[in-house]
């Protein structure tokens, strides 16, 4: 699990990453809200914390993947449940990677 400060850091980090994409502010806010809601789940916090302890780069990549996935889902007209599934999937998509040593991953 990670701290409330880490959660807040995630939410501050997201919009800065993609300012160059020209995504409208309403879509950005909606995507941030969905990812924020996904991060409230205890199981997501535990598993995302596992990714964070494994590697900071992979953790940031997972946040970016969740955010972009939700934006794509919004643009495709997906509803709340589907957007939440995209957020959680993006946050945890590299969870299996944590079972492989960084020496092998970084070759």
């Amino acid at each position: 699990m990670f701290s409330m400060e880490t959660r807040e850091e995630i939410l501050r980090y997201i919009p800065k990453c993609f300012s160059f994409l020209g995504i409208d502010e309403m879509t950005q806010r909606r995507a941030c809200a969905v990812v924020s809601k996904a991060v409230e789940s205890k199981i997501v916090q535990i598993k995302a914390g596992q990714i964070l302890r494994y590697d900071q780069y992979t953790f940031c990549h997972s946040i970016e993947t969740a955010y972009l996935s939700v934006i794509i889902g919004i643009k495709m007209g997906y509803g709340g449940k589907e957007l939440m599934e995209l957020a959680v999937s993006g946050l945890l998509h590299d969870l299996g990677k944590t079972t492989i040593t960084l020496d092998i991953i970084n070759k």
Side-chain angles (χ1 to χ4, degrees):
M1 221 151 91
F2 47 84
S3 67
M4 198 58 144
E5 292 82 27
T6 303
R7 181 180 174 278
E8 293 303 319
E9 184 179 330
I10 291 168
L11 300 178
R12 281 193 304 273
Y13 171 78
I14 293 170
K16 295 176 188 173
C17 295
F18 302 105
S19 58
F20 66 92
L21 292 177
I23 299 163
D24 62 276
E25 191 173 330
M26 190 170 83
T27 300
Q28 286 184 37
R29 282 190 205 163
R30 187 168 175 208
C32 281
V34 171
V35 174
S36 175
K37 183 90 170 141
V39 171
E40 289 176 9
S41 162
K42 292 292 182 201
I43 191 71
V44 170
Q45 288 181 19
I46 290 167
K47 296 302 182 181
Q50 185 178 336
I51 295 169
L52 176 60
R53 286 187 300 279
Y54 175 74
D55 179 45
Q56 179 77 26
Y57 174 83
T58 302
F59 181 69
C60 291
H61 163 72
S62 295
I63 296 165
E64 293 166 352
T65 301
Y67 182 68
L68 284 175
S69 297
V70 171
I71 287 174
I72 291 168
I74 290 169
K75 295 297 184 179
M76 292 178 67
Y78 286 8
K81 182 179 181 210
E82 292 88 0
L83 294 175
M84 185 61 67
E85 289 171 355
L86 287 171
V88 171
S89 298
L91 287 166
L92 302 181
H93 79 280
D94 270 340
L95 186 59
K97 187 181 193 181
T98 63
T99 63
I100 301 169
T101 64
L102 282 173
D103 293 339
I104 293 171
I105 295 292
N106 293 331
K107 266 189 165 182

